[in-house]
């Protein structure tokens, strides 16, 4: 793990790093020492580790809860080089949709493919970050919607260090099998008029989760219109389960 | 309005009152003066104005938010005399269910009947309570699930002083028409395995609400198994909209 830059803003220390080929960013309370809960933030499709919603969540996790937060670029996103195979599949999928194919199964298949790479990458990031003195081996939470859900479900299913997860804007096609292995508390977000994930597929993914405690939060609006107040709800959820 | 007793516990002043034939209870912060937001709490079927969950919500609304809270007994409940007509209908309905009739439409019809009495009663309580110096004419929130939803939907629809409502464990059969006249923010609770309100009827009532901001919170479990953490969620919701 190699740190490449460090800045501080409003009490939040931000460290850019690379772990092998993975570019990432770690946020912690300025001057913090010792172990603390850690939130892993999975960004959306076409986004990156410092997208505005990721930054906002990271900063509030640090300033309001005293947690650490970490995000990395998904392959082919942010500071990572273009990924030839993924690009080829994405282009083929766009052509299929233009020719009348259904979008949701194509997204699902693509996310399942990418997850085979990101699950071990994110687990390696956990290994590395939790060795830092100002992060430590505290409980881990995962937050990710849309692509961050498609990649997050298999990650949370595979990773016993994750104790609670906020997921959503994803469907059962890609992730139902992995969801059935998730037993930690989950807050699951559905956009009621989602044009990318049919409502019944979102509800089916919620149903597939094996967690004894799981809450569905559904709001009117399209895929990109998650209300801002769900950010506060997620912080409360993590505070309740990790703090 | 006539006050019949007054006590204080843990910083919460509790005043029992009657307004005409309506027995009620008002909770405010001990020593409070001046206007503050007011939560109207609608109790469940077979319950009363000081049922444990009503008391818990009232106390937390007072101690954590500085709000006032008020609850009254629904006709035929708590300190009110038995109501002959309602009792007769309830007995008839039990016989119908025993003979194989569907439960939900019978509950819906009964709640719609009772609401014709409780809506004007609750509006009169608002009139009276908001004239008190330690309550005043601040914004009003409504909380009610199950019977408290069946009676609450027509109340919130009729009452412009209510600015936000937590509703749920109710179906569209009784209340869809009134729900379509509700435009204030709503947090709507559904028990995913509700044996009294079929899931699709709960979702249909959520869909019927005309509110631009409405959030569905669904949790696994039966009608009576609402998770305790939804109490905190409701407090945050009211704090956001009324404070």
């Amino acid at each position: 793990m190699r740190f490449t830059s460090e800045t501080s803003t409003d009490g939040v220390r931000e460290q850019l790093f690379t772990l092998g080929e993975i570019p990432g960013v770690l946020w912690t309370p300025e001057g913090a020492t010792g172990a603390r809960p850690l939130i892993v933030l999975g960004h959306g499709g076409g986004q990156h580790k410092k997208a505005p919603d990721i930054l906002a969540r990271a900063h509030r996790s640090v300033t309001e809860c005293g947690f650490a937060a970490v995000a990395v670029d998904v392959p082919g996103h942010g500071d990572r080089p273009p990924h030839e195979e993924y690009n080829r599949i994405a282009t083929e999928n766009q052509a299929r949709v233009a020719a009348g194919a259904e979008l949701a199964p194509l997204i699902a298949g693509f996310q399942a493919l990418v997850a085979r790479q990101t699950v071990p990458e994110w687990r390696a990031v956990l290994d590395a970050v939790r060795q830092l003195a100002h992060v430590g081996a505290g409980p881990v939470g995962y937050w990710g919607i849309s692509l961050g859900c498609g990649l997050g479900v298999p990650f949370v299913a595979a990773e016993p260090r994750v104790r609670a997860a906020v997921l959503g804007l994803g469907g059962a096609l890609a992730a139902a099998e992995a969801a059935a292995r998730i037993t930690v508390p989950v807050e699951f977000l559905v956009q009621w008029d989602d044009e990318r994930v049919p409502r019944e597929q979102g509800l089916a993914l919620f149903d597939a989760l094996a967690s004894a405690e799981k809450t569905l939060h559904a709001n009117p609006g399209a895929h990109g219109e998650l209300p801002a107040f769900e950010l506060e709800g997620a912080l409360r959820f993590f505070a309740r389960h990790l703090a």
Side-chain angles (χ1 to χ4, degrees), chain A:
Chain A
M1 188 180 206
R2 195 166 64 85
F3 287 100
T4 57
S5 85
E6 175 165 339
T7 54
S8 274
T9 310
D10 301 331
V12 181
R13 178 184 184 190
E14 177 182 296
Q15 295 174 283
L16 291 171
F17 66 83
T18 55
L19 180 72
E21 296 176 352
I22 311 163
V25 54
L26 173 68
W27 297 273
T28 48
E30 205 174 354
T33 55
R36 65 199 60 255
L38 168 68
I39 309 294
V40 179
L41 298 162
H43 67 73
Q47 297 295 316
H48 58 84
K49 63 186 177 304
K50 287 185 66 177
D53 72 315
I54 299 291
L55 259 184
R57 283 167 201 284
H59 272 244
R60 291 191 60 178
S61 300
V62 169
T63 57
E64 293 178 31
C65 305
F67 293 173
V70 67
V72 301
D73 288 325
V74 169
H77 289 70
D79 294 328
R80 298 184 77 151
H83 192 290
E84 284 188 18
E85 183 192 2
Y86 298 161
N87 278 357
R88 179 180 55 74
I89 295 170
T91 306
E92 286 171 8
N93 284 349
Q94 283 164 7
R96 285 182 191 159
V97 169
E102 208 185 328
L103 179 63
L106 296 173
I107 293 176
F110 184 71
Q111 291 181 351
L113 176 72
V114 177
R116 288 204 281 274
Q117 179 174 354
T118 53
V119 169
E121 285 189 356
W122 295 0
R123 300 189 75 176
V125 168
L126 270 194
D127 292 342
V129 166
R130 283 163 43 105
Q131 287 181 30
L132 301 169
H134 59 310
V135 179
V140 176
Y142 177 78
W143 180 91
I145 55 175
S146 194
L147 177 65
C149 177
L151 305 181
V153 167
F155 170 66
V156 174
E159 183 45 77
R161 291 171 291 187
V162 174
R163 305 292 176 80
V166 177
L167 300 163
L169 311 194
L173 287 174
E177 197 191 342
R181 286 182 279 119
I182 292 179
T183 56
V184 296
V186 172
E187 193 166 281
F188 191 82
L189 303 167
V190 168
Q191 285 297 96
W192 215 227
D193 312 294
D194 196 317
E195 76 285 7
R196 292 175 67 88
V197 183
R199 187 189 297 180
E200 63 273 19
Q201 288 181 28
L203 296 183
L205 182 51
F206 174 69
D207 279 331
L209 295 162
S211 311
E213 183 188 321
K214 55 180 179 179
T215 303
L216 176 73
H217 285 195
N219 291 284
H223 190 78
E225 297 179 337
L226 184 73
F229 58 76
E230 289 292 357
L231 196 165
E232 190 189 331
L235 288 178
R236 300 274 162 207
F237 172 82
F238 284 130
R240 187 150 50 86
H241 290 291
L242 305 179

